[in-house]
Amino acid sequence: MAPSLVLAGARVVLPGAVVDDGRVRVEGTKITDATAGAAGDAEVLDVSGHWLVPGFVDLHNHGGGGASFSGTAEDVLTAVRTHRLHGTTTLVASTVTDEMDLLVRQAGLLSELAEQGDIAGIHFEGPFISPCRKGAHSEELLRDPEPAEVRKLIDAARGRAKMVTLAAELPGGVDSVRLLAEHGVIAAIGHTDASYEQTVEAIDAGATVATHLFNAMPALGHRSPGPIAALLEDERVTVELINDGTHLHPAALELAFRHAGPDRVAFITDAMDAAGTGDGRYMLGPLEVEVSEGVARLVEGGSIAGSTLTLDRAFRRAVTVDRLSVPDAVTALSTNPARLLGLADRVGTLEPGKDADLVLLDTDFEVKGVMRRGEWVVAPQLP
């Protein structure tokens, strides 16, 4: 049996409580205790003066480290490793609109990596989205979300499809929402020009996620409230938010967080290749992107093209700029996405029996250690 390790002295964020001077015991790949109990004969690592939180869970991520989830297996692993260095221990790989045969082929590759445990599943963002709200997707490759077409991607993913973003107002949209719900795949409303009423119909059909709320959808109007009002008001819907200071004004984020509440918000990165690297020219699917001062925009047209965000930055901004409590930030970055993915029995909180996925943060909320399944991805950096 692997030796036990006790991380002692940190402020430990547990479900419903923050324990000062806490102790978390790790044995092998699992957490076996998360109380202030005695260390016994385990090795003790003093992490006093730090926060200990669950590993972050990213529902929506296109790449990082100069590599894309639309690329080769090595590209995918490069992007995964990049985000792990920033505390994301569970990650869903998102594709971007492309030719259908290429998406089917990529689904096969990603499903193999999901079976190996490198990623938590696949999110198909496009091609079933509105040309009016395409964002950084190639318009000529978009198509209606006819159930037979959606089914092709689900089948290609071999049980590893976790989420499909679609515009439910398009022909076949609501029927495809029902199809996804029947197959246990999250139907996410996004890149949509839907009315309030059309969005309500999609939610009633089984849609449960708002893809990056506010972005790539009509603005909230007082006579035509559109999808934002419908998605915010329904208790069945979890709303994704990109908390990078570019995609959302702080007041919009506060509106969403206060209205939906901490149990219905999932912070995501929507990261592309440049996350964890730097400014320059990149590709997002078939489209060229210019990253300047950390902001990614299409070379043609200037639309925001994903982000360069990592979830540690989203966490830090949440508690230092948005003034969320640390437990609420943990809920949005770990607990809620784990629940949505059906992984709450394994990740998302620090509890006995769950994977030893941990992030160690200093008092400025900078990452000082990352553990995944009992192994240090980032060795503790202690004074």
Side-chain angles (χ1 to χ4, degrees), residues 133 194-197 214 217-230 232-233 255:
R133 305 288 174 178
S195 66
Y196 173 88
E197 291 77 15
F214 297 109
M217 60 183 62
L220 184 65
H222 64 291
R223 291 193 182 93
S224 298
I228 294 172
L232 272 179
E233 73 182 9
L255 171 69

Side-chain angles (χ1 to χ4, degrees), residues 334-354:
S334 302
T335 310
N336 291 342
R339 169 183 52 79
L340 279 170
L341 295 172
L343 299 176
D345 60 330
R346 287 181 40 208
V347 298
T349 56
L350 301 180
E351 295 179 273
K354 294 196 176 183

Side-chain angles (χ1 to χ4, degrees), residues 191-207:
H191 288 276
T192 178
D193 204 40
S195 66
Y196 173 88
E197 291 77 15
Q198 289 169 325
T199 307
V200 168
E201 183 183 8
I203 296 168
D204 287 340

Side-chain angles (χ1 to χ4, degrees), residues 65-325:
S68 166
F69 293 129
S70 296
T72 65
E74 186 52 44
D75 290 335
V76 173
L77 295 175
T78 294
V80 167
R81 287 191 291 265
T82 297
H83 285 281
R84 284 182 187 168
L85 296 175
H86 295 273
T88 297
T89 51
T90 302
L91 182 150
V92 173
S94 300
T95 62
V96 68
T97 296
D98 212 324
E99 297 284 359
M100 207 52 188
D101 60 341
L102 293 179
L103 289 173
V104 166
R105 188 186 314 158
Q106 194 65 16
L109 183 151
L110 291 171
S111 68
E112 292 179 7
L113 295 173
E115 288 162 9
Q116 293 171 195
D118 297 303
I119 59 175
I122 308 166
H123 164 217
F124 297 102
E125 187 182 27
F128 310 116
I129 60 177
S130 170
C132 302
R133 305 288 174 178
K134 65 182 183 298
H137 291 255
S138 179
E139 184 169 352
E140 60 268 23
L141 297 176
L142 301 182
R143 58 180 65 209
D144 291 336
E146 296 292 348
E149 294 293 284
V150 175
R151 183 65 188 263
K152 287 180 184 177
L153 293 185
I154 297 175
D155 290 346
R158 302 200 302 263
R160 299 295 177 169
K162 288 293 185 180
M163 185 161 65
V164 175
T165 292
L166 52 78
E169 76 277 9
L170 296 176
V174 172
D175 286 339
S176 286
V177 168
R178 293 193 183 97
L179 172 74
L180 292 167
E182 288 168 1
H183 284 79
V185 179
I186 297 166
I189 303 302
H191 288 276
T192 178
D193 204 40
S195 66
Y196 173 88
E197 291 77 15
Q198 289 169 325
T199 307
V200 168
E201 183 183 8
I203 296 168
D204 287 340
T208 56
V209 166
T211 293
H212 44 54
L213 188 74
F214 297 109
N215 300 117
M217 60 183 62
L220 184 65
H222 64 291
R223 291 193 182 93
S224 298
I228 294 172
L231 294 162
L232 272 179
E233 73 182 9
D234 199 298
E235 295 292 328
R236 295 170 289 182
V237 176
T238 297
V239 298
E240 295 181 348
L241 299 175
I242 307 172
N243 193 21
D244 62 353
T246 297
H247 281 79
L248 296 175
H249 189 282
L253 184 137
E254 183 179 10
L255 171 69
F257 209 95
R258 285 196 177 190
H259 196 83
D263 292 334
R264 290 181 48 220
V265 171
F267 285 139
I268 61 164
T269 61
D270 194 18
M272 46 81 71
D273 302 25
T277 54
D279 291 352
R281 290 280 180 110
Y282 298 86
M283 298 300 294
L284 183 60
L287 301 178
E288 192 171 15
V289 175
E290 176 79 31
V291 178
S292 178
E293 296 182 354
V295 178
R297 294 185 180 275
L298 291 182
V299 172
E300 293 189 14
S303 292
I304 294 177
S307 84
T308 61
L309 188 62
T310 50
L311 280 183
D312 59 331
R313 285 172 46 209
F315 189 105
R316 189 160 57 251
R317 182 177 177 86
V319 296
T320 62
V321 176
D322 305 312
R323 302 300 178 187
L324 298 183
S325 70

